[in-house]
Amino acid sequence: MNILWRLVSPNFGPQVCKYSKRSLKSVKFPFGSSNSLVHGIHVFHCPDEVGIVAKLSDCIASRGGNILTADVFVPQDNNVFYSRSEFTFDPAIWPRGEMDEDFFKLSKMFNAMKSVVRVPEIDPKYKIAVLVSKQDHCLVDLLHRWQNGRLPVDITSVISNHDRGPDAHVIRLLERHGIPYYYLPTTMGKKREVEILELVHDTDFLVLARYMQVFSAEFLKSYGKDIINIHHGLLPSFKGGSPSKQAFEAGVKLIGATSHFVSEVLDAGPIIEQMVERVTHRDNLQSFIQKSEDLEKQCLVKAIKSYCELRVLPYEKDKTVVF
């Protein structure tokens, strides 16, 4: 492989209850000053029973923490409990390691399927790799947001099956920030999945920013972590090449975008975020496509932020709870 930050290879979750949303200015801190406090997030998924909220609240309050927001969801026809709490705490009183131990005890007590705590100011950012094909509007948007500190991740690499010249805007932007670009051309019989796995093994999740390749079940199993995808909301009516042109010529009045987790079934994984916008007879093909691409950018960013803020939980087989 030829390396100059750019590697080229010729082979290649319904009803939600919300409680106590308060600003930091309105909160009284019994332990220490507000300057010493940091922000934590905890999500919980377990079989439903009486007393879960009380135990979660006591776990935080007994350590001097203060709950700012608590969202709870219990399906009417399913005996499961979902919650997401945001709280402030003093690390000197409640060290990060002890916090993990306390929430782990709660997860054992209630046989939790999922219990995750995150402290954005202390914990490292999620590491991601972005995969992209020819269309790079989503990639460029992610890079600019990341550059401006508006995307809570570290982008470790960009992988593409489309070659970009050294003077391309994306390449110059990546080189300026020291992010490697891997060009791995694909064919029908060679998806380069082994090489991709080697490049992304230390990431926390993957983002497909208009990557027009389908991963095999073997790849998904080997990677073993979440993959977030974005696609236009014109499916299933306008399949194949130039879907926006097809939709424009059909005179549709509503367009959209969908961001979802990748599963073995094409474009059918659990949905994280969806957005829609109206188009009219006044739109030409260029404005139609621009609106569609803008929706894709916004929808993908919203899904990534929701994921990083622990707002997304699995619900039933193919659904999500999104607090």
Side-chain angles (χ1 to χ4, degrees), residues 250-280:
V252 303
K253 301 302 182 187
L254 199 66
I255 59 174
T258 296
S259 188
H260 62 92
F261 289 116
V262 174
S263 67
E264 294 182 21
V265 182
L266 178 63
D267 291 333
I271 294 171
I272 305 171
E273 183 62 51
Q274 290 182 301
M275 294 182 179
V276 296
E277 183 173 338
R278 284 202 162 275
V279 291
T280 74

Side-chain angles (χ1 to χ4, degrees), residues 153-196:
V153 298
D154 279 334
I155 301 175
T156 62
S157 65
V158 173
I159 302 169
S160 180
N161 62 336
H162 178 74
D163 193 14
R164 288 172 170 82
D167 294 328
H169 171 66
V170 168
I171 298 300
R172 295 200 308 270
L173 185 59
L174 292 173
E175 288 179 345
R176 186 158 62 246
H177 293 287
I179 300 174
Y181 179 87
Y182 300 94
Y183 168 47
L184 299 176
T186 57
T187 63
M188 287 293 292
K190 194 162 188 178
K191 300 295 186 179
R192 311 302 291 274
E193 291 186 347
V194 173
E195 291 108 314
I196 293 174

